[in-house]
Each structure stands twice: as structure tokens, then as C-alpha cells.
Amino acid sequence: MALTTSANVASVKPTISSADLESFSIHLQSSKRILALLGAGLSASSGLPTFRGAGGLWRSHEAMSLATPEAFSADPALVWLFYSYRRHMALQANPNKAHIALAELAKRKKDFVTLTQNVDGLSQRAGHPSSNLHLLHGSLFDVRCTSFYCNFAEQNNFIDPIVPALGVAEVGLQPMPSTTDKTGAEATNSLYEAMKQQGSAKQVLRELDISDENVPIPEIDIKDLPHCPECKDGLLRPGVVWFGEMLPERTMIAVDKFIEESKKIDLILVIGTSAKVYPAAGYVDRAREKGARVAVVNMDRADVPGGRNGLIKGDWFFEGDAGVIVPEMLKCVIGDI
């Protein structure tokens, strides 16, 4: 289950208009109150699958169909396998330079508030201060008890696998049948050669990709799934917001308070998301009403915020890989990453 990253292009300078970069840098340096909206495009440079849109399948399942309370109630083992796979993939990835740059900006600008739609934990692992990082859709690495009478919840549980039964199976190299050699020597020699190149038999083990429907998955007894350490009875569930569930009230209140408590917002960053879906779209409008200029980073020039205003004169659109562009945008404040 290899990840593709932007490591190979990290040293390539983004194609940014020097005039746009200069005007943005001047505004950023003078900005005090800043709001950022982050989406899946931020983590694309880290190689994570999004499971969104057409073809968003996990095995033969629509990924969205596994992200519901009803799916968890009907088959908690299947849902946990899906989320354990996502946890594992997220932990195989590393925060990219955009995550790190935003974390550094948060350390230097005390009134910089970030609202992320991502559940992958990469912002947290990049060292983004938790006091001004708000998770709109929760986190793969938060868990909570499903028992009605239990309030247990845990944040930033990065144990992988979270329980042994959800571990990713491994398989060793197997001798390949030869169409010409009937003694088995050719296949055996090829296996020994691969082992020699890798160093040992242990090192040539590879993980099975259980996102492939042709790879069998284990049948897991409910007693072997993650259980609450507090009440000892309830199943734990991933701390993400599933379809049909309310967005986290604490997060909504915190962002609303940031917007409302001051007459002025200087800048809103929209990175890796179109922000066309509410409530994210509404934040762009509300920030602009407080005087904010809008800076968008996206791979697709047509993918700009919706709402009443969209982009107007005086806003910025930086097209390309967020992992490359964001560090350049913020360099005037944070220095080189």
C-alpha cells in the first residue's frame, strides 16, 4: 500500500505571479485576525486517498455508505476495518510542507484560527497548536464509546492497529510457476534473489491491500473490536462525523465566536477546498463582511468558493500543489520550511 507524495517536487518552485505573491505577502504581514479553511487538497501532497466523488469505492462498497451510524450498527467489524485501513494509511503518510507551514504560522499569529475538514490527523502531527485548530468533521484518531450511559472519549489515539484483530495482514514473496522449468529451481532461485536484495525474509513481507475486493478480509468477532476501557462494555467508534450526524457544537461555537467577537477579519485562506458547501461557504461570506480578503490555493482554477461573492478584485488565487505553494506564500512570516 504505497503512498505517492510531493517529495519529488518539493524543491520545485511553484509558478506564482511575483506581483500576486508580493501583494499577498504585504497583506499577510499586516494581518492580525486570520481564518483558514482546509480541505482534502491540503493532504493530497501526502498521498492520501480521499474516497470522494465518482469511484469513491472501498472494496466493493461506496465509501460514503460505510460512514453512517446505520452501517456501524449493522456491521461494526466492516466499518472498523474501513476506518482502521484509513488510520493505517494516514499514519504511513507524513505531514507535507503546507501542514508544517500553517502550524508555524499559527505559532506566530495568535489570532490565526484554522477550521479543517480533514480527518487524517496530519495537521496535528505537524505540530499545529490544538488551541486554534478546529476539526469540522472530527478525526480518525479520536474514539468514543457508543454506550448510552458512558461518556468516554479519547483524542489523538495513534496506536496502529488500535486492536490486534484490525492489524494489516502481511504476505511473503511466493515462488512463481515457470512455463519452461519443471523442477521448481527457477522459481526458488528468483525468490532467494529477491530475499538477498531485501536483506532478509522478514524484510520482503508486504502488506495486503484490503481496499482491493479481491483480497480476502478476516471475519472479526465483535468481542475483538475496540471496546471502551472505562465501562468495559460499549464498543468504541471512530470519532468522525458520519452522514446524518450533527457537526460538533463546540467547533461551531468556537469559530462563530472568532468571527463575531471582532469588527475586523483581515484575511481568510481557503486551501484545498472549494468551500462551496455550507457551513464552509458561509464562513467565506461572513469573513468578507468583516473586511477579509480571500486567498485560495487549489489545483483547479474553476474550484473557487461559492456563496454570494465568490472571488472578487483584490482576492488571490494560487493554482497548484498546496504542499509547494503554501510554504512560499507564508515564507515572509515563517521563513523557509
Side-chain angles (χ1 to χ4, degrees), residues 26 54 61 74 77 81 106 132 163 181 188 192 287-288:
I26 292 170
H61 304 277
L81 278 167
N132 57 9
V163 293
D181 175 39
T188 301
Y192 284 155
R288 198 190 292 282

Short mmCIF file of all heavy atoms in Angstrom, two decimals, residues 26 54 61 74 77 81 106 132 163 181 188 192 287-288:
data_model
loop_
_atom_site.label_atom_id
_atom_site.label_comp_id
_atom_site.label_asym_id
_atom_site.label_seq_id
_atom_site.Cartn_x
_atom_site.Cartn_y
_atom_site.Cartn_z
N ILE A 26 2.61 41.26 1.58
CA ILE A 26 2.43 42.54 2.28
C ILE A 26 1.18 42.49 3.14
O ILE A 26 1.19 42.91 4.31
CB ILE A 26 2.36 43.70 1.27
CG1 ILE A 26 3.72 43.90 0.59
CG2 ILE A 26 1.90 44.99 1.95
CD1 ILE A 26 3.69 44.86 -0.58
N ALA A 54 -17.07 10.36 -7.71
CA ALA A 54 -17.29 9.15 -8.51
C ALA A 54 -16.13 8.19 -8.33
O ALA A 54 -14.97 8.58 -8.34
CB ALA A 54 -17.42 9.54 -9.99
N HIS A 61 -17.65 -1.45 -1.78
CA HIS A 61 -18.59 -0.59 -1.06
C HIS A 61 -18.39 0.87 -1.43
O HIS A 61 -17.26 1.34 -1.54
CB HIS A 61 -18.41 -0.75 0.46
CG HIS A 61 -18.53 -2.16 0.95
ND1 HIS A 61 -19.74 -2.76 1.20
CD2 HIS A 61 -17.58 -3.09 1.21
CE1 HIS A 61 -19.53 -3.99 1.61
NE2 HIS A 61 -18.23 -4.22 1.62
N ALA A 74 -25.13 -2.07 11.80
CA ALA A 74 -25.37 -3.30 11.06
C ALA A 74 -24.14 -4.19 10.99
O ALA A 74 -24.23 -5.42 11.08
CB ALA A 74 -25.85 -2.97 9.64
N ALA A 77 -17.78 -4.57 12.43
CA ALA A 77 -16.48 -5.10 12.04
C ALA A 77 -16.06 -4.54 10.67
O ALA A 77 -14.90 -4.15 10.48
CB ALA A 77 -16.51 -6.62 12.01
N LEU A 81 -12.93 -2.10 9.97
CA LEU A 81 -11.88 -2.45 9.02
C LEU A 81 -11.60 -1.28 8.07
O LEU A 81 -10.45 -0.97 7.76
CB LEU A 81 -12.28 -3.69 8.22
CG LEU A 81 -12.03 -5.04 8.90
CD1 LEU A 81 -12.75 -6.15 8.16
CD2 LEU A 81 -10.53 -5.34 8.97
N ALA A 106 0.54 29.51 12.78
CA ALA A 106 -0.30 29.52 13.98
C ALA A 106 0.51 29.85 15.24
O ALA A 106 -0.02 30.45 16.18
CB ALA A 106 -1.01 28.17 14.14
N ASN A 132 -5.98 26.48 18.46
CA ASN A 132 -6.62 27.19 17.34
C ASN A 132 -6.76 26.32 16.09
O ASN A 132 -6.82 26.82 14.97
CB ASN A 132 -5.88 28.50 17.02
CG ASN A 132 -4.41 28.30 16.71
OD1 ASN A 132 -3.96 27.17 16.56
ND2 ASN A 132 -3.66 29.40 16.62
N VAL A 163 -6.54 -2.26 17.77
CA VAL A 163 -6.61 -3.57 18.43
C VAL A 163 -5.97 -4.59 17.50
O VAL A 163 -5.96 -4.40 16.28
CB VAL A 163 -8.06 -4.00 18.78
CG1 VAL A 163 -8.65 -3.10 19.86
CG2 VAL A 163 -8.94 -4.03 17.54
N ASP A 181 10.62 -24.35 -16.84
CA ASP A 181 11.35 -25.18 -15.88
C ASP A 181 10.37 -25.97 -15.03
O ASP A 181 9.51 -25.41 -14.36
CB ASP A 181 12.23 -24.28 -15.00
CG ASP A 181 12.92 -25.08 -13.91
OD1 ASP A 181 13.37 -26.21 -14.20
OD2 ASP A 181 13.00 -24.57 -12.77
N THR A 188 12.47 -20.96 -7.25
CA THR A 188 13.17 -20.89 -5.97
C THR A 188 14.33 -19.90 -6.04
O THR A 188 14.53 -19.09 -5.13
CB THR A 188 13.69 -22.28 -5.57
OG1 THR A 188 12.58 -23.17 -5.47
CG2 THR A 188 14.41 -22.21 -4.24
N TYR A 192 14.95 -16.54 -3.72
CA TYR A 192 16.18 -16.32 -2.96
C TYR A 192 16.85 -15.01 -3.38
O TYR A 192 17.39 -14.28 -2.54
CB TYR A 192 17.14 -17.49 -3.15
CG TYR A 192 16.76 -18.72 -2.37
CD1 TYR A 192 17.18 -19.99 -2.79
CD2 TYR A 192 16.00 -18.63 -1.21
CE1 TYR A 192 16.84 -21.13 -2.08
CE2 TYR A 192 15.66 -19.77 -0.50
CZ TYR A 192 16.08 -21.02 -0.93
OH TYR A 192 15.74 -22.14 -0.22
N ALA A 287 -16.60 36.21 6.69
CA ALA A 287 -15.28 36.84 6.84
C ALA A 287 -15.18 38.07 5.94
O ALA A 287 -14.65 39.11 6.35
CB ALA A 287 -14.18 35.85 6.52
N ARG A 288 -15.69 37.96 4.72
CA ARG A 288 -15.63 39.11 3.81
C ARG A 288 -16.45 40.29 4.34
O ARG A 288 -16.07 41.46 4.18
CB ARG A 288 -16.12 38.70 2.42
CG ARG A 288 -15.69 39.68 1.34
CD ARG A 288 -16.37 39.43 0.03
NE ARG A 288 -15.98 38.20 -0.61
CZ ARG A 288 -14.84 38.03 -1.28
NH1 ARG A 288 -13.94 38.99 -1.31
NH2 ARG A 288 -14.57 36.89 -1.89
#
